[in-house]
């Protein structure tokens, strides 16, 4: 009985956008043209298990979707979360009160409420929580939700403002840790489970928007002495704690400071990181080598500088980064804003960015960027529970990763950023097929 492979392709200068091509027959190796370069898959060697892929439910995204028609809002939700026709997202990120992609600075408590008696997530219930619930309904399954703070309330900080860095005042470390638990429990009361929390978004960046600085040692001690024990006391040990949540250039330093401390490490699920500044994927792998019992999760990346509608390099940036990180033990990938408006906002300090889907709120229409399709080559076909497998290639110019799904199927992703087409032989289990990787394309091959 003949065996076939399914091929899905997206390519620049064509109409191919996550387009399923005609099936290709796998033949015995003796009948293949072995003079061509070879990509050889070895599913006997397995590595990390995948959590999934997803994006961020920012206030900016939720607000933007409220500014377009209900039909287009639903289309965006379908496009991301539907497991058949959409990208099949299974992860989501939430900001704990405001971030730059909120409409303004805000918190869940009144000024100087040290006992947190006024804690109230009513603002999130207006647009953010309904969006998350609609996404879960569309997926038909739960989402793993990661929550991250950009800054404590201003009165808890050394600079007495949420923006422009500053630090958490020592006398408020216990209060701030309890704030996390209040948030988790309030979301549970609203019907949403929080899978994990990161300690601080980008703890080494003084930003003109919501930000707060922790040295690696301060993050370690906050976890060890406050956040970890308080979450345990509040029976929230099932909620995972992630550290770093900053760029790859500093990931080894920050992870080592926390995870080399046995007590602090006992509370930590793993290390979160972003893609800004550098593409030193080997740093991610180094953290795994040092602490193989801990996990790695990519938690934020986007194209800066406003919208980039129609550009191809943005998709290639996603593809290159996703492959580089997956090949270095990363277990999941969270994009930044699910959707933004025609400016690349709203953003309360004008820090406009791009998103895979841009909603023109003035014209009531959607733009699907190349990044949307590139992400889909992973999220649609590499399922939660998939395991990365080994491969070898004669083609150094192609970016490659491969996974075995829980159902036993293999998902191979081949990305070509060059101006040249490449022909190659795909070999797996003594069967082969002659395939092509077009210039500036990405291809998912299902065996």
């Amino acid at each position: 009985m003949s065996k076939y492979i399914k091929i899905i392709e997206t390519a620049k200068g064509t109409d191919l956008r996550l387009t399923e091509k005609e099936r290709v027959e796998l033949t015995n190796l003796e009948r293949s043209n072995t003079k061509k370069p070879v990509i050889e898959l070895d599913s006997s060697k397995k590595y990390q298990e995948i959590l999934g892929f997803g994006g961020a439910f920012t206030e900016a995204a939720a607000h933007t979707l409220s500014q377009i028609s209900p039909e287009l809002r639903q289309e965006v939700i379908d496009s991301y979360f539907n497991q058949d026709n959409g990208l099949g997202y299974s992860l989501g990120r939430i900001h704990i009160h405001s971030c730059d992609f909120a409409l303004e600075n805000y918190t869940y408590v009144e000024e100087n409420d040290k006992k947190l008696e006024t804690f109230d997530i009513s603002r999130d219930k207006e647009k953010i929580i309904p969006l998350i619930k609609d996404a879960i309904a569309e997926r038909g399954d739960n989402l793993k939700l990661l929550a991250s703070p950009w800054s404590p309330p201003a009165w808890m900080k050394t600079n007495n403002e949420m923006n422009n860095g500053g630090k958490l005042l020592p006398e408020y470390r216990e209060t701030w840790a309890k704030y996390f638990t209040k948030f988790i429990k309030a979301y549970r009361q609203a019907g949403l489970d929080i899978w994990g929390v990161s300690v601080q978004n980008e703890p080494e960046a003084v930003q003109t928007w919501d930000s707060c600085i922790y040295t690696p040692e301060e993050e370690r001690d906050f976890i060890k002495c406050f956040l970890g024990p308080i979450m345990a006391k509040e029976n929230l040990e099932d909620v995972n704690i992630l550290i770093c949540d900053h760029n790859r250039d500093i990931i080894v330093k920050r992870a080592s400071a926390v995870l080399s401390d046995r007590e602090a490490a006992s509370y930590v699920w793993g290390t979160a990181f972003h893609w800004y500044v550098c593409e030193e994927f080997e740093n991610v792998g180094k953290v795994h080598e040092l602490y193989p019992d801990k996990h790695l999760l990519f938690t934020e990346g986007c194209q800066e500088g406003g919208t980039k509608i129609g550009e191809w390099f943005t998709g290639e940036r996603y593809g290159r980064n996703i492959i580089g990180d997956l090949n270095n033990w990363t277990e999941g990938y969270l994009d930044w804003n699910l959707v933004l408006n025609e400016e690349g906002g709203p953003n309360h300090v004008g820090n406009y960015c791009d998103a895979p889907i841009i909603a023109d709120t003035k014209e009531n229409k959607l733009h699907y960027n190349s990044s949307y399709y590139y992400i889909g080559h992973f999220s649609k076909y590499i399922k939660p529970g998939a395991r990365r497998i080994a491969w070898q290639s004669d083609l150094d110019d192609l970016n490659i990763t491969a996974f075995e799904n829980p159902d036993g199927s293999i998902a191979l992703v081949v990305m070509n950023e060059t101006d040249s087409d490449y022909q190659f032989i795909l070999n797996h289990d003594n069967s082969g097929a002659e395939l092509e990787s077009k210039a500036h394309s990405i291809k998912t091959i299902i065996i």
Side-chain angles (χ1 to χ4, degrees), residues 115-133:
K115 294 183 178 180
L116 308 180
E117 292 173 336
T118 60
F119 196 95
D120 184 3
I121 61 165
S122 291
R123 182 169 180 140
D124 290 16
K125 291 178 179 178
E126 293 175 14
K127 294 173 185 173
I128 295 174
I129 288 175
L131 175 58
I132 297 170
K133 289 184 174 181

Side-chain angles (χ1 to χ4, degrees), residues 60-295:
H63 178 75
T64 296
L65 290 175
S66 75
Q67 303 298 299
I68 57 176
S69 68
E71 293 78 15
L72 286 186
R73 178 184 181 276
Q74 186 60 45
E75 181 184 324
V76 171
I77 294 169
D78 294 348
S79 294
Y80 278 124
F81 297 97
N82 187 285
Q83 296 194 61
D84 297 318
N85 303 316
L87 299 194
Y89 273 7
S90 58
L91 306 179
R93 191 176 183 217
I94 312 165
H95 45 91
I96 297 176
H97 56 230
S98 64
C99 67
D100 53 327
F101 280 93
L103 303 185
E104 61 189 339
N105 292 127
Y106 66 89
T107 73
Y108 303 126
V109 294
E110 294 178 4
E111 189 80 7
N112 295 315
D113 176 13
K114 299 174 185 178
K115 294 183 178 180
L116 308 180
E117 292 173 336
T118 60
F119 196 95
D120 184 3
I121 61 165
S122 291
R123 182 169 180 140
D124 290 16
K125 291 178 179 178
E126 293 175 14
K127 294 173 185 173
I128 295 174
I129 288 175
L131 175 58
I132 297 170
K133 289 184 174 181
D134 288 347
I136 290 171
E138 183 58 40
R139 175 171 171 74
D141 196 4
N142 224 343
L143 296 170
K144 286 185 168 63
L145 298 174
L146 172 71
S148 307
W150 268 241
S151 171
W155 52 271
M156 291 190 191
K157 295 175 64 184
T158 56
N159 64 345
N160 200 35
E161 63 170 315
M162 295 184 74
N163 303 337
N164 300 302
K167 289 193 171 189
L168 176 65
L169 288 163
E171 59 263 36
Y172 289 121
R173 289 179 295 182
E174 182 177 355
T175 304
W176 182 228
K178 288 180 178 177
Y179 198 103
F180 279 76
T181 68
K182 289 272 192 180
F183 173 84
I184 295 165
K185 290 182 176 181
Y187 259 69
R188 285 186 174 177
Q189 286 183 338
L192 294 173
D193 272 332
I194 299 298
W195 168 86
V197 294
S198 65
V199 177
Q200 169 63 43
N201 180 75
E202 299 187 349
E204 291 195 21
V206 176
Q207 308 283 24
T208 57
W209 54 87
D210 319 58
S211 46
C212 184
I213 301 303
Y214 289 74
T215 67
E217 293 73 25
E218 287 167 342
E219 183 175 26
R220 174 198 66 201
D221 293 344
F222 179 66
I223 294 166
K224 180 167 64 172
C225 302
F226 298 96
L227 186 61
I230 287 171
M231 285 179 63
K233 184 179 178 182
E234 296 287 332
N235 296 314
L236 295 174
E237 292 166 296
D238 59 323
V239 178
N240 299 293
I241 296 175
L242 284 76
I243 59 171
C244 186
D245 216 2
H246 209 152
N247 300 329
R248 299 185 192 96
D249 60 326
I250 57 175
I251 188 175
V252 178
K253 173 189 73 173
R254 294 200 67 95
S256 297
V258 179
L259 299 179
S260 62
D261 184 296
R262 183 176 298 178
E263 188 176 355
S266 69
Y267 294 111
V268 175
W269 176 85
T271 303
F273 64 97
H274 302 176
W275 79 14
Y276 312 106
V277 178
C278 79
E279 295 188 356
E280 296 169 359
F281 308 118
E282 64 275 11
N283 289 347
V284 180
K286 180 67 173 176
V287 173
H288 172 78
E289 291 171 16
L290 291 170
Y291 308 101
D293 59 326
K294 298 299 182 181
H295 306 271

Side-chain angles (χ1 to χ4, degrees), residues 250-408:
I250 57 175
I251 188 175
V252 178
K253 173 189 73 173
R254 294 200 67 95
S256 297
V258 179
L259 299 179
S260 62
D261 184 296
R262 183 176 298 178
E263 188 176 355
S266 69
Y267 294 111
V268 175
W269 176 85
T271 303
F273 64 97
H274 302 176
W275 79 14
Y276 312 106
V277 178
C278 79
E279 295 188 356
E280 296 169 359
F281 308 118
E282 64 275 11
N283 289 347
V284 180
K286 180 67 173 176
V287 173
H288 172 78
E289 291 171 16
L290 291 170
Y291 308 101
D293 59 326
K294 298 299 182 181
H295 306 271
L296 289 156
L297 182 65
F298 180 89
T299 50
E300 186 186 318
C302 74
Q303 180 60 45
E304 312 90 329
T307 60
K308 301 290 187 289
I309 295 170
E311 293 286 359
W312 202 258
F313 76 91
T314 56
E316 292 187 330
R317 183 182 186 185
Y318 274 86
R320 182 175 65 249
N321 277 265
I322 293 173
I323 290 173
D325 288 329
L326 290 179
N327 286 342
N328 280 280
W329 297 91
T330 298
E331 297 174 29
Y333 229 81
L334 276 159
D335 183 31
W336 191 206
N337 299 277
L338 290 166
V339 61
L340 292 172
N341 68 16
E342 60 278 358
E343 287 186 298
N347 183 291
H348 71 86
V349 293
N351 179 38
Y352 299 128
C353 293
D354 198 23
I357 300 178
I358 296 297
D360 188 327
T361 61
K362 296 175 181 176
E363 299 291 333
N364 192 44
K365 64 181 181 180
L366 302 175
H367 298 281
Y368 288 78
N369 281 323
S370 59
S371 51
Y372 173 85
Y373 300 103
Y374 270 72
I375 293 169
H377 277 273
F378 305 89
S379 65
K380 282 178 69 70
Y381 306 106
I382 300 172
K383 304 294 186 180
R387 294 278 301 278
R388 181 165 63 92
I389 63 171
W391 55 268
Q392 290 184 319
S393 172
D394 298 331
L395 290 165
D396 293 337
D397 287 342
L398 300 184
N399 292 314
I400 300 166
T401 195
F403 286 79
E404 182 177 275
N405 281 308
D407 66 0

